[in-house]
Amino acid sequence: MPSIINKPTFKTLQKFSPDYAPCTITKYESEKTGMNVVVVDREGPKVNGFFTLATEIHDDSGAPHTLEHLCFMGSKSYRYKGVLDKLATRAYSNTNAWTATDHTAYTLDTAGWDGFAQILPIYLEHVIVPTLTDAGCYTEVHHVDGAGQDAGVVYSEMQGVQNTQGELMDLRSKRLLYPENVGFRYETGGMLEQLRVLTADRIRKFHRDMYQPKNLCLVIVGQVDHADLLRILDKFEDSIIDDIPPPDTPFKRPWVESQPAPPLERSFLETVEFPEEDESSGEIAVTFFGPSCNDLIQASALNTLLVYLAGSSASVLENTLVEREQVASAVYYSIEIRPQILIQFNLSSVATDRLEQVEQRFFEVLRETASKPLDMTYLKDCITRERRMIKNSVESSATPFSEPIIYDFLFADRDGSMLKADLSSLKEFDELATWPEEKWQRLIKGWMSDAHHVTILGKPSAMLSKKLKSEERARVEEQKKKLGPEGLKTLEKKLADAKAENDREIPKGVLEQFPVPSTSTIHFIGTTTARSGAAKKLGRLDNEMQKLVDNDNSQLPLFIHFEHVQSNFAHISLIISTESIPIPLRPLLSIYLENMFTSPIERNGQKIEFEQVIKELEKDTVDYSISAGNGIGNPELLVMRISVEVEKYELAIRWFKELIWDGSFDLERIASTTVRLLADIPDAKRSGGNMLSAVEEMIHSSPASIVRARSTLVNALYLKGVRHHLAEDPEFIIVKLKAIRDALFQFSNIRVAVVANVEKLAKPVSSWEHFTEGLDTDKPLHPLEKRLSRVSDAGRNPGKLAYIVPMPTIDSSFALSIAKGPSSFRDPRVPALTVALAYLDAVEGPMWVAVRGTGLAYGSSFSRYTDSGQISYSVYRSPNAFKAFQAGRSVVEGFVNGTTEFDALALEGAISSIVLSIANSEATMAAAAQMNFARQVIRELPDDWNEQMLKKVREVKVEEIRAVMKDIVLPVLTAATANLVVTCAPVMEEDLVNGFRDMGFAPEVRSLASFQDSYGMGVPGDEDLEDEQGETDGRSESEEGEDEDESE
C-alpha cells in the first residue's frame, strides 16, 4: 500500500482553449486512484463543482437515488448529520445532488475559490466514505410512522411523481426500449413498492460497488487555483486510500463494459393510462434510437435535424401538426445522451379520442418530409444558428461545458482525446454545411421515419384516479391493521430513536475549526452604466462608456439604459408598462404575446407569412422573447427582448419596430393560438405545485394584475369566450388585440435596456431614431407600476382565508401561506429579516431538520416579496402538509419565545449564504448587467445597494432577528394573520382539513374550477363558468394573485 501512496499524483491528460469561448479546459487523472478531474477556467464570482459517478443498477430499488440523499448524513471523519451543509453554508457554498439513469452528480456551488477549496475534501469524503447508518436510511429513505403512514424524504419525493402522466409513460417506454439486465430499463429513483422493502445493506453494497475514485470525475468550473486543487486532492486520496478497494482491483466500467442495448427488432404502440378526472386530452411520446454519442458529426447532424423538424412554429412537425392542423398544442423534441442517443418527440394536449389517429399523422408527416425536397436554405440557416447558439450559451452560462464533460466521462475514452476533439472548435458545422440534401433525407429515414420505435399514448382515466385512491387507502388501512396498536407504538419509538441518533448535536469545535473564508477570491463581474434620453434623469454619469454614448450626438428623448460588458452579443430589451391596458383586456395578453413573433407582417405592401418571419428571425438573432418581467423583479411589466451578434444591433432595432407595428392580426393565427392554449389547460391543471401557485394568484392579486389575468385559472374560461367570439364575430377580438397594441406601445410606456460591448456599437443612440418615428415623443414617461398596487384586498389583509383543493392527479400535498411583509427595500427591518430567513432556510438549518430531516416533506421554504409587501411559507411535496406546516411553526415559536437559542456559527453561515445569493444573481456578464438595470431602474436603488445591504446584515443583532421572527415570520404560520392554500391528493383531504382546523384555520374544501374567472368573457351555458365563484371574500369577479421570487 505505501508504494501506491508514494506514486506520482495527478498527470495532465489534456489542456486546450476552445476557439469560440473565453476559457481553458484541463483534464487530469490521478495515478494513485484513477480519479478524473476536469477544470474549466473562466472568469466570474462563482466556482461550481459537479462530482460525478457513473452509476448502473439493474432493478427499481432506488439505491442510486437513496445514496444521493444519504451521503449528506455524515462521513468517516465527520460523523454528524448536517455537518457538511453547515460548513458549506459558512463557506459561501451550497450543496445539492441529482440522480440520473446513468450517473449521480453531487454539486458544490460556491462564491470564490477559497470557500470551494475549504469544503472540497470534506464533501468528497462524504461521497466516498459516508456513514450510511441504519438510522439514516430509516428516516431518509422510508419508514412507517406511529399513525401507520408511509414517510421518508426519498419516499415522499417518489410518491409525488410515480403516478404522474410523464412518469408512467416514461417507465413503460423504458421497459419496451431496453430488455432486462440493461440498466437504462430501470427506475433509478425507486418505485414505491420497492422503496418500502429496500434495506440499508443493499444500499451499502451499491455504494461499495460504484463509489470508487476510479469511477469519479470532478468537473470544476470557475477561477481555480490549480496547484492548490491538486494539493488538496492528493492529500484527500491519502486520507481515504485504506477505506476503498485497492486501486488495482479489477473494475467493470459502468455502461461502457456492460451489456449494450440491442436494436429494436420491431416497433411498439401501447396505451398507458394516467389518473385524471378531465379525460379530454392526452399525450403522445415517440422514441427512437439515434447515432452513437461518440460520433460528433452524426450527433451534431441530429441536433440540427431536430431543430429543422420541430424547433419552432416554422419547422415541419410543429407547423403542420400544431399550427396548421391543430391536432396538438406542441411538438417537443428531446435527446438523452446514452451510448446510442435516444430521440424523443412529445405531442402534447392531443384529443383523447384522436390519439391513435394523430400518432399515424405524425409518421405521415415524417415520411413526407423525408421523401420530398427539403428546404435546404432553412436547413443551412439551422446549422448557422446552432453554431451561434452554442457561442452564446457558452458566454451566458455560469457552468459552460459541464454537461458534455460529464457525458464524455461516462461514455468516451478516459484519456480526454474525444473531449478535446468535441470541444476545441465548432468545425463540425463546417462539414454539415457541405452535406447534400440526400444525406439529410437518409438520416431522417434511418433514425426516424423508417426506423423501429416505441410509441406511448398517454390516456387520462378518471376510473384509474378513483382506483389508485381506493387502493392506497386500503393498503394503508391493512398496514395499520397488520401492525396493530403495539406495532405502531414500536414503530413510533423506532422512528424517534432514529431521529435522536441522526440529530446528535454537532460539537462546536467541529465547526469552529473552519473559519469563514475571505471574500478576496470572489471576483464579482463589473459592468459600466451609461444613459441616454430620459434615462439621464436618474443621474448624469462620468465614464468612458457615457462619453461614447454622448458622442453619438442624438437628441432622442427615448429612455435608454446601457450596461457595458465584454461580449460578442447585444441583448436588447424593451421594458413596457402595462398600466394603459384596460383591465377587461388584460387576459387577452396571453394570445397577443404568444403571437408577437409568430404572425404575418406587412412589408413594402406585401404580406410576409409567419413561417417566413420566423425563419428570418432565426437567421438574424440568437434569441427573441416577450414575457412578464420576472427576471427584472416586476412581473407586472412586459419585457420584449432580442439578442443578436453585436454587429446586428441596428437590425435588431428594425425587428422591434416591424414586429410591433407591421405585424398583422391574422385571424387564422389568432384562432390557432387560442386552440393551442386551450388544449394545454388540462395538462397544466395536473401539477399540484403549479395549481398551488395558480390558486394563490387568484386569491392575492387584483383583477388588474397581468400575472393573474394570464393565469391558467383565467385562461380556462376566458379563452373559451375568445374561441366563441372568433366563430361568431372575429372582428370583436381583433379590435381588442389592436387596442392592446395601441395601449402598450406608447412612447411614454417604453424604456430600453441594452447589454453589450458599447465600444462596438457604431450608433448606440441614433440607431433608435427610426424606431420612434410616428410616436409622440413629447409625452413624459409613465412611472413604472408597483406590484403592491395590484395586490387584492385579501392579499393586503390576510388572515381570513384557507382553502384545501383536492386534485386526483397528485399523490402528495403542497401548502402555501401568505402574510404581510415589508413593502420597501429601505424598510429598516429588511436586513434582519434577510438574515432570519437565511438562518431558518439553511440546508441542515432549523426548518430543514424539522421538516425534511424528519421525512415530513421533500422541502419547505420562506420567501420575501418586498415589491408586493408579502412573505410566504411553502411546503413542497409532503405526505401530510399539515404536519410539515405544524413542525415549521414550532421551530419559529421556539426562537420567538426564547426556548431555542440562536447558534452563532449558524448566523455566520446565514450571512455567508446571502453573499452566495448575490453571486448567484450575478454569475455571468449578462446576469450582472440585468441585475444592475433592475436595481437602478426598477427598484430605484443605488448602484452599490448590495454592498450597503451586506454591511447592514453583518451588523444585525440577535434581538433584531428575534423581533422580525415575532412580528413578520411567525404571522405567516398563524391562522389569524395568514391566508392558506393547500393542494393535495383526495385521500389526504380529511386529515388536512382536521389538522389545519385544529391550528385555528377555517379550511374550506374547494375545486380548482371554483377559483376560475372569466373576466366577463365566458361562454353562456359553459359548465366551468357555472362553477366560477368571483365573490369569494367579498370581491367581484376577477380578483386574486401572484407570487414571484425577488432577485435581491
Side-chain angles (χ1 to χ4, degrees):
M1 197 66 68
S3 62
I4 295 175
I5 294 176
N6 292 328
K7 282 186 176 181
T9 52
F10 286 85
K11 62 181 179 181
T12 303
L13 297 179
Q14 301 289 344
K15 184 173 183 178
F16 60 95
S17 297
D19 61 14
Y20 55 94
C23 67
T24 300
I25 300 174
T26 309
K27 178 164 187 174
Y28 301 101
E29 183 181 64
S30 169
E31 294 186 302
K32 193 182 299 179
T33 67
M35 183 195 303
N36 279 224
V37 183
V38 182
V39 179
V40 181
D41 283 295
R42 62 165 286 150
E43 293 183 3
K46 300 289 296 300
V47 180
N48 292 91
F50 303 86
F51 311 148
T52 306
L53 297 123
T55 45
E56 180 178 0
I57 197 167
H58 295 167
D59 60 42
D60 299 315
S61 66
H65 184 198
T66 63
L67 278 174
E68 172 213 317
H69 292 254
L70 292 170
C71 283
F72 292 95
M73 302 286 284
S75 71
K76 178 181 73 168
S77 304
Y78 306 92
R79 307 185 69 84
Y80 300 93
K81 174 176 176 261
V83 67
L84 171 64
D85 286 302
K86 287 179 182 294
L87 290 172
T89 301
R90 287 168 56 77
Y92 317 115
S93 299
N94 184 47
T95 68
N96 211 330
W98 75 74
T99 303
T101 303
D102 47 29
H103 70 276
T104 305
Y106 295 84
T107 64
L108 180 56
D109 182 20
T110 307
W113 171 251
D114 283 353
F116 190 95
Q118 180 168 294
I119 295 302
L120 178 61
I122 304 168
Y123 199 164
L124 292 180
E125 185 182 280
H126 277 73
V127 172
I128 299 299
V129 200
T131 52
L132 300 183
T133 64
D134 288 344
C137 293
Y138 193 67
T139 59
E140 195 75 7
V141 179
H142 171 263
H143 57 265
V144 177
D145 64 19
Q149 299 290 334
D150 296 271
V153 176
V154 175
Y155 190 85
S156 297
E157 180 182 353
M158 298 312 296
Q159 184 181 50
V161 299
Q162 180 161 306
N163 288 316
T164 60
Q165 170 189 306
E167 187 71 13
L168 291 168
M169 293 175 67
D170 181 61
L171 182 64
R172 187 56 192 151
S173 181
K174 288 192 287 193
R175 299 294 204 236
L176 295 172
L177 286 163
Y178 299 104
E180 292 186 5
N181 296 319
V182 174
F184 293 114
R185 173 184 176 87
Y186 301 98
E187 174 50 73
T188 51
M191 303 292 288
L192 296 180
E193 51 273 20
Q194 294 208 31
L195 286 170
R196 289 196 287 265
V197 297
L198 180 62
T199 66
D201 284 341
R202 175 70 183 94
I203 297 169
R204 293 182 191 115
K205 181 181 185 305
F206 184 78
H207 181 274
R208 189 165 56 249
D209 292 343
M210 292 289 163
Y211 279 53
Q212 301 185 34
K214 67 179 71 175
N215 193 36
L216 171 66
C217 180
L218 311 184
V219 183
I220 304 174
V221 183
Q223 291 184 252
V224 175
D225 182 331
H226 285 244
D228 193 25
L229 170 66
L230 298 182
R231 181 190 59 78
I232 291 167
L233 293 179
D234 189 41
K235 186 176 179 181
F236 166 72
E237 288 190 319
D238 287 346
S239 73
I240 55 96
I241 200 73
D242 293 330
D243 300 296
I244 62 174
D248 57 358
T249 302
F251 178 75
K252 181 180 177 182
R253 185 177 168 190
W255 310 114
V256 174
E257 297 175 7
S258 301
Q259 175 183 325
L264 287 171
E265 296 181 354
R266 67 181 182 90
S267 294
F268 295 87
L269 172 63
E270 290 198 7
T271 298
V272 169
E273 291 188 338
F274 60 90
E276 169 62 285
E277 290 185 351
D278 184 340
E279 296 183 332
S280 61
S281 68
E283 184 159 331
I284 300 171
V286 186
T287 309
F288 309 89
F289 283 117
S292 165
C293 69
N294 292 326
D295 189 327
L296 175 61
I297 297 295
Q298 294 283 301
S300 300
L302 173 61
N303 283 327
T304 302
L305 263 185
L306 292 173
V307 172
Y308 177 86
L309 291 170
S312 72
S313 296
S315 60
V316 179
L317 292 169
E318 183 87 6
N319 185 256
T320 304
L321 301 175
V322 178
E323 303 296 347
R324 299 296 183 186
E325 299 178 7
Q326 299 176 19
V327 296
S329 67
V331 179
Y332 303 105
Y333 71 83
S334 62
I335 63 170
E336 290 192 43
I337 305 299
R338 303 213 169 144
Q340 194 172 359
I341 294 173
L342 273 193
I343 307 163
Q344 185 168 91
F345 291 95
N346 289 82
L347 284 71
S348 61
S349 302
V350 178
T352 304
D353 58 2
R354 299 187 67 192
L355 286 167
E356 293 88 347
Q357 179 184 340
V358 174
E359 191 265 352
Q360 292 173 10
R361 181 62 183 138
F362 170 83
F363 279 98
E364 287 175 4
V365 176
L366 269 182
R367 294 184 187 109
E368 289 169 6
T369 302
S371 61
K372 293 180 179 179
L374 302 176
D375 184 342
M376 291 303 294
T377 300
Y378 180 50
L379 184 53
K380 290 190 175 182
D381 285 344
C382 289
I383 296 171
T384 303
R385 192 163 196 261
E386 275 291 285
R387 185 202 304 263
R388 192 163 60 235
M389 294 284 284
I390 291 172
K391 290 181 179 180
N392 180 60
S393 67
V394 168
E395 185 179 288
S396 60
S397 169
T399 56
F401 302 121
S402 57
E403 186 172 311
I405 291 170
I406 288 172
Y407 285 112
D408 178 86
F409 169 73
L410 294 178
F411 304 127
D413 293 338
R414 289 283 172 86
D415 63 3
S417 57
M418 195 166 294
L419 182 70
K420 182 176 181 179
D422 286 0
L423 300 184
S424 60
S425 75
L426 300 175
K427 62 184 180 182
E428 63 270 19
F429 292 104
D430 296 331
E431 179 173 336
L432 296 184
T434 68
W435 281 13
E437 179 182 47
E438 310 82 66
K439 194 163 186 175
W440 292 103
Q441 290 172 318
R442 284 199 302 273
L443 293 183
I444 297 174
K445 292 176 182 177
W447 290 333
M448 291 171 253
S449 65
D450 296 347
H452 292 316
H453 56 274
V454 170
T455 298
I456 303 296
L457 307 179
K459 184 178 180 182
S461 169
M463 185 75 73
L464 178 61
S465 175
K466 294 183 177 68
K467 179 173 178 283
L468 290 173
K469 174 182 175 181
S470 173
E471 288 178 349
E472 177 64 6
R473 181 182 286 119
R475 186 192 68 78
V476 173
E477 288 304 315
E478 176 62 25
Q479 181 167 271
K480 292 179 182 178
K481 181 179 177 182
K482 185 176 179 180
L483 289 167
E486 289 305 313
L488 291 174
K489 284 184 181 179
T490 300
L491 290 179
E492 186 173 24
K493 183 179 185 305
K494 182 178 179 180
L495 178 59
D497 290 345
K499 288 178 180 177
E501 181 179 338
N502 290 339
D503 296 336
R504 287 178 302 137
E505 186 175 355
I506 303 169
K508 288 194 180 299
V510 174
L511 302 176
E512 288 173 339
Q513 64 180 306
F514 296 96
V516 175
S518 164
T519 57
S520 62
T521 60
I522 305 176
H523 303 288
F524 286 101
I525 296 171
T527 67
T528 305
T529 302
R531 295 168 180 151
S532 177
K536 288 186 174 181
K537 293 180 180 178
L538 296 179
R540 300 196 65 83
L541 300 170
D542 182 15
N543 58 59
E544 291 303 312
M545 297 309 116
Q546 186 65 55
K547 291 174 184 176
L548 287 174
V549 168
D550 292 341
N551 288 342
D552 198 6
N553 292 320
S554 175
Q555 301 305 309
L556 191 68
L558 182 66
F559 183 110
I560 310 179
H561 178 106
F562 294 92
E563 287 292 332
H564 169 71
V565 295
Q566 294 298 324
S567 173
N568 294 313
F569 299 91
H571 308 281
I572 312 157
S573 301
L574 305 185
I575 292 81
I576 310 151
S577 169
T578 58
E579 194 65 30
S580 303
I581 306 174
I583 290 175
L585 297 187
R586 292 183 186 182
L588 203 54
L589 278 169
S590 295
I591 294 173
Y592 180 78
L593 301 183
E594 194 75 16
N595 281 350
M596 175 61 75
F597 300 98
T598 59
S599 292
I601 60 174
E602 297 291 333
R603 183 186 293 159
N604 300 324
Q606 292 188 330
K607 180 180 180 181
I608 310 299
E609 293 295 345
F610 81 93
E611 295 95 339
Q612 184 60 33
V613 173
I614 292 171
K615 288 177 181 179
E616 291 181 18
L617 271 169
E618 292 181 348
K619 182 179 180 180
D620 291 340
T621 71
V622 175
D623 192 23
Y624 52 88
S625 64
I626 185 166
S627 61
N630 303 59
I632 57 173
N634 190 341
E636 296 298 336
L637 301 172
L638 293 177
V639 178
M640 184 176 181
R641 179 176 290 116
I642 296 178
S643 297
V644 293
E645 292 158 307
V646 70
E647 59 269 20
K648 294 181 179 178
Y649 177 67
E650 289 188 62
L651 179 59
I653 296 169
R654 290 201 298 272
W655 268 117
F656 278 118
K657 184 175 180 69
E658 192 168 42
L659 290 164
I660 292 167
W661 296 110
D662 297 333
S664 63
F665 295 101
D666 183 85
L667 183 58
E668 183 179 331
R669 299 296 307 130
I670 297 167
S672 173
T673 298
T674 304
V675 169
R676 179 162 47 83
L677 292 176
L678 271 170
D680 279 338
I681 288 171
D683 187 55
K685 286 184 175 181
R686 290 166 187 153
S687 166
N690 288 347
M691 287 303 98
L692 183 79
S693 297
V695 172
E696 189 273 327
E697 287 163 2
M698 298 305 292
I699 294 169
H700 294 122
S701 291
S702 74
S705 166
I706 68 166
V707 179
R708 181 187 191 278
R710 297 168 58 229
S711 75
T712 298
L713 297 179
V714 170
N715 281 344
L717 297 180
Y718 192 91
L719 293 178
K720 288 182 181 179
V722 172
R723 183 178 60 186
H724 172 76
H725 284 291
L726 288 173
E728 300 293 326
D729 181 14
E731 191 62 25
F732 176 81
I733 298 299
I734 290 174
V735 166
K736 292 182 180 298
L737 287 168
K738 288 180 178 177
I740 288 176
R741 179 189 63 188
D742 294 344
L744 274 178
F745 293 104
Q746 303 173 31
F747 181 82
S748 52
N749 281 343
I750 299 172
R751 291 163 175 81
V752 177
V754 178
V755 177
N757 186 332
V758 175
E759 294 171 323
K760 294 183 178 180
L761 302 179
K763 296 185 290 182
V765 180
S766 58
S767 296
W768 288 91
E769 290 173 354
H770 173 66
F771 175 82
T772 59
E773 289 176 1
L775 298 179
D776 186 352
T777 58
D778 292 330
K779 285 188 175 181
L781 268 178
H782 290 151
L784 293 171
E785 48 268 41
K786 302 296 184 183
R787 291 175 67 190
L788 189 59
S789 69
R790 296 184 180 180
V791 174
S792 69
D793 289 342
R796 291 172 187 271
N797 301 288
K800 303 179 180 69
L801 306 177
Y803 298 116
I804 309 289
V805 185
M807 294 177 60
T809 54
I810 61 176
D811 292 323
S812 56
S813 59
F814 303 77
L816 180 67
S817 59
I818 295 282
K820 288 183 179 181
S823 58
S824 167
F825 287 96
R826 299 179 188 275
D827 188 310
R829 299 173 298 172
V830 166
L833 180 59
T834 303
V835 176
L837 298 188
Y839 183 90
L840 289 169
D841 274 345
V843 178
E844 291 296 344
M847 302 301 285
W848 175 288
V849 170
V851 178
R852 177 170 171 139
T854 56
L856 292 177
Y858 187 67
S860 74
S861 63
F862 291 96
S863 295
R864 173 171 57 90
Y865 308 110
T866 307
D867 291 319
S868 56
Q870 296 171 323
I871 182 175
S872 73
Y873 177 65
S874 65
V875 173
Y876 177 74
R877 205 184 281 168
S878 168
N880 188 318
F882 161 69
K883 289 184 178 179
F885 192 93
Q886 185 181 46
R889 177 181 167 85
S890 295
V891 168
V892 178
E893 283 179 327
F895 288 111
V896 169
N897 62 30
T899 57
T900 305
E901 293 295 325
F902 288 93
D903 183 285
L905 296 176
L907 285 171
E908 288 182 346
I911 293 169
S912 294
S913 71
I914 295 167
V915 175
L916 176 61
S917 70
I918 293 172
N920 284 336
S921 68
E922 302 181 4
T924 66
M925 289 181 288
Q930 178 173 282
M931 288 310 305
N932 211 11
F933 171 82
R935 219 172 3 249
Q936 296 179 50
V937 178
I938 306 301
R939 290 178 171 154
E940 300 175 343
L941 298 171
D943 188 35
D944 65 345
W945 181 252
N946 283 342
E947 289 79 4
Q948 291 185 34
M949 277 298 295
L950 284 175
K951 183 176 184 295
K952 289 177 180 177
V953 300
R954 287 189 169 111
E955 295 171 350
V956 166
K957 302 292 190 294
V958 167
E959 297 76 24
E960 296 174 272
I961 299 172
R962 182 173 283 115
V964 295
M965 283 192 180
K966 177 183 177 183
D967 299 337
I968 302 175
V969 181
L970 188 58
V972 82
L973 298 158
T974 304
T977 47
N979 290 336
L980 173 72
V981 180
V982 178
T983 55
C984 66
V987 71
M988 299 176 179
E989 175 191 316
E990 184 177 349
D991 286 345
L992 291 172
V993 168
N994 291 337
F996 281 110
R997 182 179 292 130
D998 290 344
M999 190 179 266
F1001 289 95
E1004 178 184 350
V1005 178
R1006 291 266 298 269
S1007 67
L1008 278 176
S1010 70
F1011 292 97
Q1012 295 177 159
D1013 185 353
S1014 69
Y1015 275 69
M1017 185 65 87
V1019 180
D1022 179 45
E1023 289 183 9
D1024 283 345
L1025 188 64
E1026 293 172 6
D1027 287 335
E1028 175 188 7
Q1029 294 184 13
E1031 58 279 347
T1032 304
D1033 60 85
R1035 292 168 287 132
S1036 61
E1037 176 186 290
S1038 311
E1039 198 158 324
E1040 352 275 320
E1042 62 81 26
D1043 143 19
E1044 186 57 45
D1045 261 333
E1046 50 187 58
S1047 47
E1048 299 275 345

